[in-house]
Structures are given as structure tokens and as C-alpha cells.
């Protein structure tokens, strides 16, 4: 039987040959998941022989990863904002940049209580759930057009014990209607990749993640136009809007916000110094 060290070596070589970046790290993370231990604990188990069923699962997982399936879909989970989320191929894998979006809203909202928040394009539910965990008495409504995404988001709310704080609504934002002036905050990480850029994204993304989560099939700005326009009626006076944006979208999204009566435009950069989160206040 193969030992932990031998199987790691073979798997790393295989993934390298297939062109997977950080092959060793991927091989380690997958095996740690199967052995139900931390990645670094593998180093204490190098001589341990793998059981037959462990080898079978590992072989299948390494083969899937070799076909560029994202690691998070293979293990079925991801960490976001210090919390665990289930992910399936029906939802976008939460990105670390999106933690900055959540952080901006928490910074703005942390001293206020009883805020009403509308999250548009919920996916796995990562945004509303991270907000519900960190804000007292916030009431959150989350909208997504994907039935399967809403199912995953509801499961994640249960997993994180915030099911009573978040209401999930299945709706296309273009047709979504709700009482006027209800919300203090609108937050969204919408699909913002243009039709032109989409085919050039990493193979992992284009071949495995849902395209409706990533692109508007136009210029990448459609959701900002729609959400900014509709938020004029979703929000209370002086309500705030927070968007995640893509590289080089700041100028265009700022114009869209200004055109829709949002003022005090603020930008926050991400770890790579890319302008990532834009916010504004309704006049
Ligand atoms: N909030 C998650 C996150 O930050 O990881 C997912 C964001 S993903 C970029 C965009 C989400 O918008 C997807 O879950 C997708 O299903 C949803 N979406 C796409 N078109 C939509 C529409 N017309 N109305 C509502 N939601 C939509
Ligand atoms: N940041 C995502 C990417 O990896 C895009 C997410 C989005 O469209 N909101 O391409």
C-alpha cells in the first residue's frame, strides 16, 4: 500500500504534468481532507499507509483536479470571513476580495442596530450570512435568480445558525419588487465580467463555475446600471449602496452611481491595490 508521502509525490507529479498551479499544495489539501486532518499534520504521517478506500477517493479527486475542477468544488466547502460554507457547482466560489466588501459594510453598520439590508445575487449566501453573524439585529433579505443557489444559501444559513436572520427570495433582480424606502443598505457582488473578457478567465472558472454568476453577457456594467437605478426606490433617504467591482471599473461605476443620485462616493482597494469596493449614499 502507498504511504502518505508516496501518494503525495505521485499526485504532485501528476498535477504538475497537467499544468495545475501549486500542485503540491493542492495534493496536500485534498489528502488532508480525506484523512480528516490539518494539511501540516500530514508531515507527521508521512510513513502511514493509506487504506484502500482512501486511495480510491484520492485517485478520483486528483483526477478531477487534473481536469481543472476547482479544489473547493471537489471538497465541497470553502472558508469565507472565518466561517464554513458549503459550495456546489451551482454557486460561485466565494473570493477573498469579497471579504473586503463585507468588511466595509460591517465597519459602516457596526454601531447601528436594527438595520435592514438587501443583498443582490446571493450565490452561496456568503455575504448575508457573514453580515448576520457580525451585526446585531440586522434584518437581511437576499435575492438570487438561481433556484439551486438559493437552496445552497439556505443550507449555509442553517449551518451557520443564522436562518432566522436572513430571508432568501428567488427572483430576477430585473423584476424584483418590494415596498419603497425599506432598506438602509444595498450590497451586491454582481456578475461583472464582460462578454469579451469572459473566455479569457482561468480554465477552472470558465469550465466549472456558473456563467450567470460571472458575466452579464454585455459590457460587465449591466448589473450596476440596474441595481443603482432600482436602489433609488429600495433605499431610505441617505441609504447606502456597496458594490464589489472588477479591475478598471471604478470610473464607469462611479458615473452610474452619480447619475442615479448617489453622493459621497468612496473606494476601497484590495490586497493587490486594485480598486475593489465602491460605495455611495442616496441623496
Ligand atoms: N454573493 C456571492 C459572492 O459574493 O460570492 C455570489 C456573487 S456572484 C458574482 C453573482 C450572483 O448573482 C450569482 O449567484 C447569480 O446567480 C446571481 N444573478 C445573476 N443574474 C441575476 C439576476 N438577474 N437576478 C438576481 N441574481 C442574479
Ligand atoms: N472576481 C470574480 C473572478 O474571479 C468575478 C466575480 C464577479 O463577476 N462578481 O473573475
Amino acid at each position: 500500500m502507498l504511504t502518505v508521502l508516496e501518494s503525495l509525490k505521485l499526485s504532485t507529479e501528476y498535477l504538475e504534468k497537467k499544468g495545475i498551479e501549486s500542485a503540491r499544495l493542492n495534493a496536500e489539501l485534498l489528502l488532508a481532507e480525506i484523512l480528516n486532518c490539518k494539511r501540516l499534520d500530514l508531515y507527521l504521517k508521512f510513513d502511514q499507509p493509506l487504506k484502500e478506500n482512501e486511495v480510491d477517493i484520492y485517485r478520483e479527486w486528483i483526477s478531477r483536479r487534473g481536469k481543472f475542477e476547482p479544489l473547493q468544488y471537489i471538497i465541497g466547502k470553502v472558508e469565507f470571513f472565518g466561517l464554513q460554507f458549503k459550495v456546489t457547482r451551482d454557486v460561485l466560489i466565494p473570493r477573498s476580495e469579497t471579504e473586503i466588501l463585507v468588511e466595509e459594510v460591517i465597519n459602516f453598520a457596526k454601531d447601528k442596530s436594527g438595520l435592514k439590508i438587501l443583498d443582490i445575487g446571493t450565490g452561496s449566501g456568503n455575504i448575508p450570512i457573514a453580515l448576520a453573524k457580525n451585526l446585531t439585529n440586522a434584518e437581511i433579505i437576499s435575492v438570487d435568480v438561481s433556484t439551486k443557489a438559493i437552496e445552497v444559501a439556505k443550507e449555509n444559513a442553517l449551518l451557520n445558525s443564522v436562518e432566522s436572520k436572513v430571508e432568501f427570495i428567488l427572483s430576477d433582480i430585473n423584476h424584483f419588487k418590494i415596498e419603497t424606502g425599506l432598506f438602509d443598505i444595498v450590497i451586491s457582488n454582481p456578475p461583472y465580467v464582460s462578454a469579451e473578457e469572459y473566455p479569457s478567465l482561468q480554465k477552472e472558472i470558465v469550465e466549472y463555475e456558473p456563467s450567470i454568476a460571472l458575466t452579464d453577457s454585455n459590457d460587465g456594467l449591466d448589473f450596476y446600471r440596474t441595481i443603482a437605478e432600482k436602489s433609488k426606490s429600495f433605499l431610505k433617504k441617505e441609504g447606502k449602496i456597496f458594490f464589489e467591482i472588477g479591475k478598471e471599473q471604478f470610473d464607469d461605476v462611479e458615473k452610474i452611481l452619480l447619475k442615479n443620485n448617489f453622493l459621497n462616493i468612496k473606494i476601497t482597494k484590495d490586497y493587490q491595490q486594485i480598486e475593489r469596493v465602491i460605495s455611495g449614499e442616496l441623496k
Side-chain angles (χ1 to χ4, degrees):
M1 262 301 165
L2 285 173
T3 64
V4 165
L5 184 60
E6 286 161 351
S7 54
L8 277 177
K9 277 190 176 152
L10 286 172
S11 303
T12 304
E13 277 167 29
Y14 179 81
L15 293 179
E16 270 168 358
K17 225 171 52 208
K18 294 283 172 182
I20 300 294
E21 275 173 39
S22 312
R24 172 75 182 207
L25 178 64
N26 274 273
E28 289 181 357
L29 287 168
L30 289 170
L31 188 55
E33 185 63 27
I34 292 168
L35 299 181
N36 203 12
C37 69
K38 294 209 175 76
R39 182 176 70 88
L40 291 178
D41 290 345
L42 292 173
Y43 287 75
L44 308 171
K45 300 180 193 253
F46 272 170
D47 298 328
Q48 180 180 311
L50 295 183
K51 300 192 184 96
E52 202 176 313
N53 66 324
E54 292 167 344
V55 174
D56 290 347
I57 300 172
Y58 196 38
R59 200 170 274 140
E60 191 219 316
W61 283 12
I62 289 292
S63 147
R64 284 166 65 184
R65 189 68 192 96
K67 293 185 186 118
F68 288 84
E69 181 168 347
L71 181 127
Q72 295 88 339
Y73 288 151
I74 299 172
I75 64 174
K77 63 183 181 188
V78 66
E79 195 183 295
F80 178 84
F81 222 78
L83 302 166
Q84 285 281 333
F85 289 87
K86 169 184 165 165
V87 285
T88 68
R89 286 181 61 179
D90 298 308
V91 298
L92 186 91
I93 298 164
R95 309 289 204 260
S96 56
E97 299 91 273
T98 307
E99 294 180 335
I100 301 170
L101 174 68
V102 170
E103 216 168 337
E104 284 299 303
V105 171
I106 291 175
N107 284 340
F108 167 76
K110 62 176 182 286
D111 306 324
K112 309 176 176 71
S113 104
L115 292 179
K116 288 199 166 55
I117 303 176
L118 176 63
D119 163 53
I120 299 168
T122 194
S124 62
N126 55 326
I127 293 176
I129 292 166
L131 291 176
K133 275 277 179 197
N134 288 281
L135 296 174
T136 29
N137 300 325
E139 275 178 50
I140 307 172
I141 293 185
S142 252
V143 178
D144 204 292
V145 73
S146 156
T147 314
K148 291 196 166 150
I150 292 281
E151 278 169 20
V152 173
K154 282 183 175 167
E155 271 187 61
N156 278 321
L158 272 171
L159 266 173
N160 286 287
S161 317
V162 292
E163 68 279 10
S164 62
K165 294 183 165 184
V166 188
E167 183 186 345
F168 294 99
I169 300 180
L170 177 67
S171 173
D172 181 332
I173 191 58
N174 293 291
H175 309 299
F176 179 65
K177 287 203 174 65
I178 198 155
E179 190 186 318
T180 311
L182 192 60
F183 295 98
D184 302 279
I185 294 172
V186 168
I187 178 170
S188 183
N189 171 22
Y192 57 62
V193 179
S194 68
E196 194 188 338
E197 191 191 352
Y198 181 68
S200 69
L201 299 182
Q202 283 173 332
K203 212 165 161 179
E204 271 97 343
I205 301 178
V206 180
E207 290 189 8
Y208 288 91
E209 298 201 76
S211 60
I212 61 152
L214 287 149
T215 179
D216 63 358
S217 307
N218 187 22
D219 62 355
L221 298 167
D222 268 359
F223 283 90
Y224 300 112
R225 294 187 189 100
T226 308
I227 296 171
E229 158 70 29
K230 296 198 125 215
S231 292
K232 286 185 283 185
S233 75
F234 293 153
L235 284 169
K236 296 175 183 164
K237 197 169 178 291
E238 294 175 10
K240 297 273 277 181
I241 194 162
F242 292 84
F243 282 132
E244 176 172 324
I245 58 172
K247 211 174 168 180
E248 287 161 18
Q249 286 182 324
F250 173 70
D251 289 344
D252 289 324
V253 178
E254 182 184 37
K255 274 190 204 119
I256 293 169
L257 286 177
L258 290 171
K259 194 174 150 213
N260 284 289
N261 298 339
F262 287 92
L263 301 170
N264 298 333
I265 309 291
K266 194 185 145 203
I267 186 78
T268 310
K269 292 185 177 170
D270 68 15
Y271 319 107
Q272 297 180 66
Q273 297 308 310
I274 297 170
E275 290 162 336
R276 188 58 72 186
V277 174
I278 187 168
S279 66
E281 186 179 306
L282 188 63
K283 196 156 63 177

